[in-house]
Amino acid sequence: MSGGLLACDGPLIDAFDLALVDLDGVAYAGHQPIAHAADGLSAARSAGVRLVFVTNNASREPEDVAGQLSELDIPATADDVMTAAQAAAALLRTRLDVGATVLVIGGAGLRTAVSAAGLTIVDSADDAPDAVVQGFSPEVGWKDLAEAAFAVQRGAWFVASNRDLSIPQARGIAPGNGSLVAAVVAATGVEPESAGKPAPTMYQMAVDRVGGNRTLVIGDRLDTDLAGARAGGFPGLHVLTGVNSGRDAVLADASMRPHFIGRDLRALTQAHAAPRHREDGSWECGGATARVDGGRLRLDHGEASDPVDSVRAACGAVWAARDDGVRIDEDSVPEFDVR
């Protein structure tokens, strides 16, 4: 698979039979819908694509997630949802036998997944748990973090459902599970193993659950969704409706670069141009041109009808320069208005 952006001459979704869709920042923001998400996903289903919603949020039951999606005109059942809680439980079972004890720091979804894996939940470090598993929940507080720290200090295996530092909400960007995990790391000096994205564990679990020969990963975060796609060998679509912007994509490390970029989930029904390297050394996409000169990005939006083409052209120029060892002046990379 190419290390750069890929082209698709027809509707993107026609090239795939399974889409693994992130939730926060892609399908919704908190409890609010994201524009065009329902229509884009409906079109994918109409084209025969199976959808599985893959989320690093471990706090909620799959049934609750499916209910929220359905309320936002994205019909879903629990079988359509794969959570980091389920992935964390699967990771725990790689080292723990049935009946082993686990201190669960997190919400109902994590407790259910751990119990379903045949493990015994305890509520105190004084119970000498074999492991501590930590997942996001708005109710997690200092006492919970302290209990986790006590258990980890006494030798319990430390597992995190995910390490997202932030989570998109309707009012803005809020601290995520990674921020809370960092408190336990700071207190103990112990880094946890993580089951969630960017590890490709959940993606492969989803493929194994429903089947699929041509899988597309869809996300808004480069360091989790798209890095997980790269790690798992899946093409990834970066939609610009959540945490990471077009500018972030241009400056992304090779390990988290997307294969496709779209303004929102309407991108599933659209063709995707890839930047073309021209003889003069510049990169062109849809009328926009970009080059790196002396470490600075020189961008000409030209007559590009789609503002995302400017992002794509800039990706071509900056990614190629970085791969050749050129140090990029990040101040020369603008924010892109793709509204």
Side-chain angles (χ1 to χ4, degrees):
M1 187 183 301
S2 169
L5 291 171
L6 303 179
C8 184
D9 293 334
L12 180 62
I13 207 59
D14 287 352
F16 300 96
D17 60 6
L18 173 63
L20 307 181
V21 187
D22 183 54
L23 290 176
D24 289 303
V26 177
Y28 52 63
H31 289 278
Q32 300 300 314
I34 285 180
H36 310 294
D39 291 342
L41 294 173
S42 176
R45 280 182 164 144
S46 296
V49 177
R50 176 67 192 270
L51 304 181
V52 178
F53 299 94
V54 182
T55 174
N56 263 0
N57 191 330
S59 66
R60 301 166 64 198
E61 307 277 7
E63 293 83 359
D64 294 337
V65 174
Q68 179 178 346
L69 286 165
S70 297
E71 290 173 359
L72 297 175
D73 294 325
I74 305 171
T77 69
D79 289 339
D80 298 324
V81 178
M82 174 71 66
T83 72
Q86 294 168 310
L91 176 58
L92 288 167
R93 287 288 283 116
T94 64
R95 280 176 48 178
L96 301 180
D97 294 329
V98 170
T101 54
V102 180
L103 174 62
V104 176
I105 306 298
L110 186 56
R111 295 180 71 89
T112 296
V114 170
S115 294
L119 301 169
T120 301
I121 295 175
V122 298
D123 297 316
S124 171
D126 295 337
D127 294 314
D130 297 301
V132 173
V133 62
Q134 183 174 347
F136 178 77
S137 173
E139 288 74 36
V140 169
W142 181 89
K143 290 183 179 180
D144 304 296
L145 300 177
E147 208 65 37
F150 299 150
V152 170
Q153 289 170 46
R154 297 172 190 177
W157 178 27
F158 189 18
V159 171
S161 65
N162 65 292
R163 306 256 338 234
D164 295 39
L165 292 174
S166 60
I167 183 170
Q169 298 287 290
R171 296 171 59 197
I173 304 299
N177 192 53
S179 296
L180 301 177
V181 167
V184 179
V185 172
T188 64
V190 177
E191 294 284 347
E193 293 189 47
S194 178
K197 300 174 280 186
T201 306
M202 287 197 295
Y203 292 154
Q204 193 58 56
M205 287 173 63
V207 173
D208 292 343
R209 176 194 287 183
V210 304
N213 298 312
R214 295 169 290 122
T215 301
L216 175 69
V217 169
I218 305 172
D220 68 304
R221 294 187 67 116
L222 298 169
D223 60 347
T224 55
D225 305 322
L226 282 309
R230 287 279 178 187
F234 301 109
L237 167 64
H238 177 204
V239 290
L240 305 178
T241 52
V243 170
N244 285 126
S245 66
R247 180 178 187 272
D248 294 332
V250 173
L251 295 171
D253 292 337
S255 63
M256 58 184 72
R257 291 172 183 168
H259 299 87
F260 303 99
I261 300 175
R263 195 177 331 194
D264 49 51
L265 284 176
R266 288 177 295 183
L268 294 173
T269 64
Q270 299 167 350
H272 286 250
R276 180 177 61 90
H277 194 203
R278 306 198 307 182
E279 291 184 0
D280 65 0
S282 66
W283 290 78
E284 182 272 334
C285 189
T289 58
R291 67 168 63 243
V292 172
D293 183 10
R296 293 185 61 82
L297 174 66
R298 311 293 184 182
L299 180 64
D300 181 356
H301 299 285
E303 299 179 0
S305 59
D306 182 351
V308 178
D309 281 336
S310 293
V311 180
R312 295 171 179 139
C315 284
V318 171
W319 293 1
R322 278 193 158 175
D323 291 348
D324 286 340
V326 175
R327 184 180 181 86
I328 302 297
D329 179 354
E330 296 189 1
D331 290 339
S332 70
V333 180
E335 295 290 351
F336 295 85
D337 185 358
V338 297
R339 291 172 294 179

